[in-house]
């Protein structure tokens, strides 16, 4: 069993007496438009997919037990406001949620937490970094926007033209293919937009960036196989960080 909230309280008590160190994984995402073809929960689904794989991979580990916390499906998401479906919370709310969740767990003897985030609006990433700094215990962020992590991911991801494109759509196809509207996906022309550059130039919504259907990149080229390969890399990155946190 790898889901924290699937356990009953005596099982949680038993974890505290276990020789294996428990590291908790907190999947973070957003509820946000992801093109006409992919679900609003794309980012949450991706974070959850990484966490579940890592926890399963560590199930028989001698030193570490990883458990997946219930995901946080809301984030700071404003760039897609021109489209229906986005549900944004403020930076202060996100920060308080993360800090309070980590405090609550640390107080019970679970100070080791890894945040796994797949929603890259700069305000989200900045807030999570601040929350990590403010949290008690050993709280770390798997920060895929950092160069040493990004360089291991796909060309589209590194190009920054990766909102609901080939990278993200492939990951959804790997885990919940029924949620990708195939006909729409196949009809979408590729749209290369350097989002980090656009954001640095002061653009803060998809329409201004030229994303008139709430996506960029090449969703029509997405495949479940690529998604599975990317999940593999993401899982390795997470396991490396879990081992680091467990050693603290
Ligand atoms: Zn996304």
């Amino acid at each position: 069993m790898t889901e924290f909230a699937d356990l009953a309280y005596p099982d949680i008590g038993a974890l505290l007496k276990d020789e294996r160190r428990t590291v908790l994984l907190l999947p973070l995402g957003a509820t946000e438009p992801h093109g006409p073809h992919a679900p609003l929960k794309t980012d949450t689904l991706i974070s959850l997919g990484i966490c579940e794989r890592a926890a399963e991979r560590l199930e028989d580990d001698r030193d570490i037990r990883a458990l997946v916390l219930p995901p946080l499906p809301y984030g700071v998401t404003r760039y897609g406001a021109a489209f229906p479906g986005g549900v944004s919370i403020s930076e202060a709310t996100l920060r308080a949620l993360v800090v309070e969740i980590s405090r609550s767990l640390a107080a019970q003897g679970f100070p080791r937490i890894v945040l796994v985030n797949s929603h890259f609006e700069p305000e989200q990433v900045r807030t999570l970094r601040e929350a990590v700094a403010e949290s008690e215990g050993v709280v770390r962020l798997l920060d895929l926007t950092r160069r040493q992590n990004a360089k291991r991911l796909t060309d589209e991801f590194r190009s920054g033209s990766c909102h609901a494109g080939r990278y993200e759509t492939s990951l959804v196809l790997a885990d919940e293919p029924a949620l990708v509207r195939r006909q729409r996906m196949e009809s979408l022309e590729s749209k290369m937009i350097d989002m980090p550059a656009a954001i640095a130039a002061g653009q803060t919504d998809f329409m201004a960036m030229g994303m008139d259907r709430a996506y960029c990149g090449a969703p029509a080229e997405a495949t479940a196989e690529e998604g599975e390969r990317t999940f593999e890399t993401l899982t390795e990155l997470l396991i490396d960080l879990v081992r680091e946190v467990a050693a603290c």
Side-chain angles (χ1 to χ4, degrees):
M1 212 172 271
T2 55
E3 309 278 330
F4 182 82
D6 283 352
L7 301 177
Y9 81 82
D11 311 323
I12 300 292
L15 290 178
L16 293 166
K17 298 191 193 101
D18 197 332
E19 281 175 11
R20 292 165 76 187
R21 282 210 165 151
T22 298
V23 178
L24 300 174
L25 312 177
L26 178 59
L28 294 138
T31 300
E32 174 195 44
H34 273 80
H37 62 295
L40 299 173
K41 71 170 184 180
T42 292
D43 296 343
T44 315
L45 181 158
I46 294 170
S47 292
L48 197 54
I50 307 167
C51 290
E52 282 171 346
R53 282 171 174 77
E56 277 163 28
R57 197 80 48 93
L58 290 166
E59 252 190 314
D60 299 319
D61 194 89
R62 251 189 273 166
D63 308 313
I64 301 167
R65 180 194 311 278
L67 291 170
V68 185
L69 291 164
L72 211 51
Y74 300 109
V76 181
T77 171
R78 303 190 186 98
Y79 294 7
F83 304 88
V87 182
S88 187
I89 58 174
S90 70
E91 286 86 340
T93 302
L94 176 63
R95 185 171 160 155
L97 274 166
V98 171
V99 170
E100 290 179 30
I101 289 168
S102 64
R103 194 174 292 153
S104 170
L105 289 162
Q108 299 176 56
F110 297 106
R112 294 179 184 80
I113 303 175
V114 179
L115 312 178
V116 178
N117 175 52
S118 303
H119 173 57
F120 304 117
E121 227 165 273
E123 289 77 3
Q124 167 97 358
V125 177
R126 197 179 310 135
T127 303
L128 293 176
R129 287 178 188 157
E130 288 169 6
V132 164
E134 204 186 312
S135 292
E136 290 155 33
V138 189
V139 180
R140 299 279 188 276
L141 170 66
L142 177 63
D143 192 341
L144 300 173
T145 65
R146 294 283 187 209
R147 193 175 312 214
Q148 79 268 20
N149 289 330
K151 75 177 184 202
R152 297 204 24 207
L153 297 170
T154 69
D155 290 346
E156 185 189 87
F157 184 87
R158 276 183 282 109
S159 78
S161 186
C162 60
H163 181 78
R166 172 173 168 166
Y167 172 86
E168 288 192 329
T169 307
S170 292
L171 290 164
V172 180
L173 284 173
D175 268 9
E176 291 209 50
L179 291 182
V180 176
R181 286 73 177 164
R182 289 266 183 177
Q183 270 189 337
R184 292 186 202 160
M185 178 193 107
E186 282 159 13
S187 73
L188 296 172
E189 76 276 18
S190 86
K191 221 181 234 298
M192 300 319 280
I193 292 166
D194 185 341
M195 290 182 74
I199 292 165
Q203 289 166 353
T204 54
D205 78 76
F206 289 168
M207 293 303 267
M209 294 177 207
M211 294 162 59
D212 58 353
R213 296 183 77 190
Y215 79 93
C216 62
E221 294 170 16
T223 62
E225 292 70 31
E226 175 177 316
E228 208 43 75
R229 280 197 304 277
T230 302
F231 265 130
E232 182 61 34
T233 307
L234 292 165
T235 302
E236 286 168 13
L237 291 171
L238 176 55
I239 289 178
D240 287 349
L241 185 54
V242 166
R243 290 201 184 283
E244 244 177 79
V245 166
C248 289

